[in-house]
């Protein structure tokens, strides 16, 4: 379904202790937020905490924005064989738990978004194989940032909110949903 100018794409970049959220109507970034928990949390408690923190942020947006969110794009994780990776297997599991909880929170907050418009996207699918610093410079240059975004763009979670904005901007292009690397929730019958 094409994204109209009055609609938003919600991009979410999950991590084990925080997640970046962005609402984009390309090329304009309307809102940014971070769902974060105490760094001392471990294991499933940390994953559940991140999902709860994201749910709290989304609930702040729901009344005003629910009718305007048309697509949700969440970054999935992938271990690339042969690639150098700093990720430990247990971190990938925790990240999967957090992403699953975030998916549920987003679906509950925005039930108006049809399941086929919930995209789960691998990092290489939406940002390619360039390094993170290059990818993030491109995102910041491509998008128009509203004044309220400035504080989060300078905060410690800048990387995650930038990626969330990049995911959402990528999701504004319907052609991307036709490419490989995008998983969708099954349509409800």
């Amino acid at each position: 379904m094409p994204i109209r100018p009055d609609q938003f794409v919600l991009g979410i970049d999950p991590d084990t202790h925080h997640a970046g959220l962005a609402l984009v109507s390309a090329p304009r970034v309307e809102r940014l937020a971070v769902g974060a928990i105490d760094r001392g949390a471990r294991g499933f408690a940390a994953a559940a905490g991140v999902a709860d923190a994201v749910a709290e942020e989304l609930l702040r947006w729901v009344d005003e924005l629910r009718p305007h969110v048309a697509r949700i794009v969440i970054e999935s994780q992938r271990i690339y064989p042969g690639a150098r990776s700093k990720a430990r297997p247990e971190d990938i599991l925790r990240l999967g738990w957090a992403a699953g909880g975030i998916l549920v929170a987003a679906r509950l907050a925005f039930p108006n978004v049809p399941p086929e418009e919930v995209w789960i996207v691998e990092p290489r699918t939406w940002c390619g194989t360039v390094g993170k610093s290059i990818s993030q410079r491109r995102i910041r240059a491509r998008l128009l940032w509203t004044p309220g975004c400035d504080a989060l763009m300078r905060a410690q979670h800048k990387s995650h909110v930038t990626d969330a904005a990049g995911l959402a901007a990528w999701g504004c292009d319907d052609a991307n949903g036709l490419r490989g690397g995008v998983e969708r929730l099954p349509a409800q019958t």
Side-chain angles (χ1 to χ4, degrees), residues 43-68:
F44 183 74
V50 170
D52 288 346
V54 167
E56 286 177 29
E57 289 298 328
L58 293 177
L59 288 175
R60 290 187 181 111
W61 297 355
V62 164
D63 290 337
E64 176 187 355
L65 299 169
R66 180 177 281 157
H68 304 288

Short mmCIF file of all heavy atoms in Angstrom, two decimals, residues 43-68:
data_model
loop_
_atom_site.label_atom_id
_atom_site.label_comp_id
_atom_site.label_asym_id
_atom_site.label_seq_id
_atom_site.Cartn_x
_atom_site.Cartn_y
_atom_site.Cartn_z
N GLY A 43 19.54 -10.62 30.99
CA GLY A 43 18.75 -11.71 30.45
C GLY A 43 17.36 -11.31 29.99
O GLY A 43 17.16 -10.26 29.41
N PHE A 44 16.41 -12.20 30.29
CA PHE A 44 15.05 -11.97 29.85
C PHE A 44 14.47 -10.71 30.49
O PHE A 44 13.67 -10.01 29.88
CB PHE A 44 14.17 -13.19 30.16
CG PHE A 44 12.76 -13.02 29.67
CD1 PHE A 44 12.49 -13.12 28.32
CD2 PHE A 44 11.74 -12.72 30.54
CE1 PHE A 44 11.20 -12.94 27.85
CE2 PHE A 44 10.45 -12.55 30.09
CZ PHE A 44 10.18 -12.66 28.73
N ALA A 45 14.87 -10.41 31.71
CA ALA A 45 14.38 -9.20 32.38
C ALA A 45 14.76 -7.95 31.59
O ALA A 45 13.97 -7.02 31.46
CB ALA A 45 14.93 -9.11 33.80
N ALA A 46 15.96 -7.93 31.03
CA ALA A 46 16.38 -6.79 30.22
C ALA A 46 15.54 -6.72 28.94
O ALA A 46 15.08 -5.64 28.56
CB ALA A 46 17.87 -6.91 29.87
N ALA A 47 15.34 -7.86 28.30
CA ALA A 47 14.55 -7.87 27.06
C ALA A 47 13.12 -7.42 27.31
O ALA A 47 12.57 -6.60 26.57
CB ALA A 47 14.56 -9.27 26.45
N ALA A 48 12.52 -7.92 28.38
CA ALA A 48 11.15 -7.52 28.71
C ALA A 48 11.11 -6.05 29.09
O ALA A 48 10.16 -5.33 28.75
CB ALA A 48 10.62 -8.39 29.85
N GLY A 49 12.14 -5.58 29.77
CA GLY A 49 12.21 -4.18 30.15
C GLY A 49 12.27 -3.25 28.95
O GLY A 49 11.62 -2.20 28.92
N VAL A 50 13.04 -3.64 27.94
CA VAL A 50 13.12 -2.83 26.71
C VAL A 50 11.74 -2.79 26.03
O VAL A 50 11.28 -1.73 25.60
CB VAL A 50 14.20 -3.36 25.75
CG1 VAL A 50 14.11 -2.67 24.40
CG2 VAL A 50 15.57 -3.16 26.34
N ALA A 51 11.10 -3.94 25.93
CA ALA A 51 9.77 -3.98 25.30
C ALA A 51 8.79 -3.11 26.07
O ALA A 51 8.00 -2.37 25.47
CB ALA A 51 9.27 -5.42 25.22
N ASP A 52 8.84 -3.15 27.40
CA ASP A 52 7.96 -2.31 28.22
C ASP A 52 8.27 -0.83 28.02
O ASP A 52 7.36 -0.01 27.93
CB ASP A 52 8.10 -2.66 29.71
CG ASP A 52 7.47 -4.00 30.07
OD1 ASP A 52 6.70 -4.54 29.24
OD2 ASP A 52 7.76 -4.49 31.17
N ALA A 53 9.54 -0.47 27.95
CA ALA A 53 9.93 0.93 27.76
C ALA A 53 9.45 1.44 26.40
O ALA A 53 8.98 2.57 26.28
CB ALA A 53 11.45 1.07 27.89
N VAL A 54 9.55 0.60 25.37
CA VAL A 54 9.05 0.98 24.05
C VAL A 54 7.53 1.13 24.10
O VAL A 54 6.98 2.09 23.55
CB VAL A 54 9.48 -0.04 22.98
CG1 VAL A 54 8.72 0.16 21.68
CG2 VAL A 54 10.98 0.05 22.74
N ALA A 55 6.86 0.20 24.76
CA ALA A 55 5.40 0.30 24.86
C ALA A 55 5.00 1.61 25.54
O ALA A 55 4.06 2.28 25.09
CB ALA A 55 4.85 -0.89 25.65
N GLU A 56 5.72 2.01 26.59
CA GLU A 56 5.41 3.29 27.26
C GLU A 56 5.57 4.47 26.31
O GLU A 56 4.74 5.37 26.29
CB GLU A 56 6.33 3.47 28.47
CG GLU A 56 5.97 2.60 29.65
CD GLU A 56 6.95 2.77 30.80
OE1 GLU A 56 7.52 3.87 30.94
OE2 GLU A 56 7.13 1.81 31.54
N GLU A 57 6.64 4.47 25.51
CA GLU A 57 6.85 5.56 24.55
C GLU A 57 5.74 5.57 23.50
O GLU A 57 5.21 6.62 23.15
CB GLU A 57 8.21 5.44 23.87
CG GLU A 57 9.38 5.75 24.76
CD GLU A 57 9.38 7.17 25.28
OE1 GLU A 57 8.90 8.10 24.58
OE2 GLU A 57 9.84 7.36 26.41
N LEU A 58 5.40 4.39 22.99
CA LEU A 58 4.35 4.32 21.96
C LEU A 58 3.01 4.78 22.51
O LEU A 58 2.24 5.44 21.80
CB LEU A 58 4.25 2.90 21.40
CG LEU A 58 5.45 2.42 20.59
CD1 LEU A 58 5.25 0.97 20.16
CD2 LEU A 58 5.71 3.30 19.39
N LEU A 59 2.72 4.46 23.77
CA LEU A 59 1.44 4.87 24.35
C LEU A 59 1.33 6.40 24.45
O LEU A 59 0.24 6.94 24.39
CB LEU A 59 1.24 4.23 25.72
CG LEU A 59 0.93 2.73 25.66
CD1 LEU A 59 0.87 2.14 27.08
CD2 LEU A 59 -0.35 2.46 24.91
N ARG A 60 2.47 7.07 24.56
CA ARG A 60 2.45 8.54 24.57
C ARG A 60 2.02 9.10 23.21
O ARG A 60 1.54 10.22 23.12
CB ARG A 60 3.83 9.08 24.93
CG ARG A 60 4.21 8.85 26.35
CD ARG A 60 5.51 9.56 26.69
NE ARG A 60 5.85 9.28 28.06
CZ ARG A 60 6.89 8.53 28.44
NH1 ARG A 60 7.71 8.04 27.56
NH2 ARG A 60 7.12 8.30 29.71
N TRP A 61 2.23 8.33 22.16
CA TRP A 61 1.94 8.79 20.80
C TRP A 61 0.57 8.36 20.30
O TRP A 61 0.05 8.91 19.34
CB TRP A 61 2.98 8.24 19.83
CG TRP A 61 4.38 8.69 20.05
CD1 TRP A 61 4.82 9.61 20.94
CD2 TRP A 61 5.53 8.24 19.34
NE1 TRP A 61 6.17 9.77 20.84
CE2 TRP A 61 6.64 8.93 19.86
CE3 TRP A 61 5.74 7.32 18.32
CZ2 TRP A 61 7.93 8.74 19.40
CZ3 TRP A 61 7.02 7.14 17.85
CH2 TRP A 61 8.11 7.84 18.39
N VAL A 62 0.01 7.33 20.90
CA VAL A 62 -1.14 6.62 20.33
C VAL A 62 -2.34 7.52 20.03
O VAL A 62 -2.85 7.53 18.91
CB VAL A 62 -1.56 5.45 21.24
CG1 VAL A 62 -2.94 4.94 20.91
CG2 VAL A 62 -0.55 4.33 21.10
N ASP A 63 -2.81 8.27 21.01
CA ASP A 63 -4.04 9.04 20.80
C ASP A 63 -3.93 9.98 19.61
O ASP A 63 -4.84 10.08 18.80
CB ASP A 63 -4.40 9.82 22.06
CG ASP A 63 -4.86 8.91 23.19
OD1 ASP A 63 -5.30 7.78 22.89
OD2 ASP A 63 -4.77 9.32 24.36
N GLU A 64 -2.81 10.66 19.52
CA GLU A 64 -2.63 11.64 18.46
C GLU A 64 -2.29 11.00 17.12
O GLU A 64 -2.74 11.45 16.07
CB GLU A 64 -1.50 12.60 18.86
CG GLU A 64 -1.15 13.61 17.81
CD GLU A 64 0.08 14.41 18.18
OE1 GLU A 64 0.62 14.25 19.30
OE2 GLU A 64 0.52 15.19 17.33
N LEU A 65 -1.53 9.93 17.13
CA LEU A 65 -0.93 9.44 15.89
C LEU A 65 -1.49 8.14 15.35
O LEU A 65 -1.21 7.79 14.20
CB LEU A 65 0.58 9.30 16.08
CG LEU A 65 1.28 10.61 16.42
CD1 LEU A 65 2.69 10.34 16.85
CD2 LEU A 65 1.23 11.56 15.25
N ARG A 66 -2.27 7.41 16.14
CA ARG A 66 -2.75 6.10 15.69
C ARG A 66 -3.34 6.11 14.28
O ARG A 66 -2.96 5.28 13.46
CB ARG A 66 -3.77 5.52 16.67
CG ARG A 66 -4.27 4.14 16.22
CD ARG A 66 -5.21 3.52 17.20
NE ARG A 66 -4.44 2.95 18.29
CZ ARG A 66 -4.94 2.71 19.49
NH1 ARG A 66 -6.18 3.03 19.77
NH2 ARG A 66 -4.18 2.18 20.42
N PRO A 67 -4.21 7.05 13.93
CA PRO A 67 -4.80 6.98 12.58
C PRO A 67 -3.81 7.26 11.45
O PRO A 67 -4.08 6.95 10.30
CB PRO A 67 -5.89 8.05 12.59
CG PRO A 67 -5.87 8.69 13.91
CD PRO A 67 -4.78 8.10 14.73
N HIS A 68 -2.65 7.83 11.80
CA HIS A 68 -1.71 8.25 10.76
C HIS A 68 -0.57 7.26 10.51
O HIS A 68 0.17 7.40 9.55
CB HIS A 68 -1.12 9.62 11.10
CG HIS A 68 -2.17 10.66 11.32
ND1 HIS A 68 -2.91 11.18 10.29
CD2 HIS A 68 -2.64 11.23 12.46
CE1 HIS A 68 -3.77 12.05 10.77
NE2 HIS A 68 -3.63 12.09 12.09
#
